[in-house]
Amino acid sequence: QVQLVESGGGLVQAGGSLRLSCAASGSISSRYAMGWYRQAPEKPRELVADVSRGGRTNYADSVKGRFTISRDNAKNTLYLQMNSLKPEDTAVYYCNAQNYYYDYWGQGTQVTVSS
């Protein structure tokens, strides 16, 4: 099975930047679509960005132009570069790996953006 561990969260002021990392224990090359989701208190979990097996990226409208998702298959790591952070970005961010048969989740990392 694939195990996912997120890191890089923390407290940042509005307008600042953070880079989240998701380290996978197994190879992610060509096997899984990878994505970042987030969940704020009293709100449903939502897709932030994902990247397909073929490398196509997709972003939520709320983060387009500010966030960048990337994957380094050689290092088995997924990244989320977050720039121009806003207080409404505050949430627990989760890494996800999916294919036809499996659906894996990390335990999340807290991102808090102060005003």
Side-chain angles (χ1 to χ4, degrees), residues 37-90:
Y37 292 72
R38 67 186 182 187
Q39 187 167 22
E42 301 183 357
K43 292 185 177 180
R45 186 172 298 184
E46 64 175 352
L47 175 68
V48 177
D50 60 12
V51 55
S52 72
R53 298 173 184 86
R56 179 179 293 180
T57 58
N58 178 61
Y59 297 91
D61 288 341
S62 60
V63 307
K64 286 181 179 177
R66 299 189 297 120
F67 292 9
T68 303
I69 188 171
S70 61
R71 63 192 295 171
D72 187 335
N73 289 336
K75 297 181 178 179
N76 291 322
T77 303
L78 179 74
Y79 302 98
L80 184 68
Q81 178 66 47
M82 304 185 294
N83 298 326
S84 301
L85 283 161
K86 303 175 181 179
E88 50 263 45
D89 295 319
T90 295

Side-chain angles (χ1 to χ4, degrees), residues 22-35:
C22 172
S25 63
S27 177
I28 60 173
S29 178
S30 299
R31 297 184 181 183
Y32 303 96
M34 302 288 294

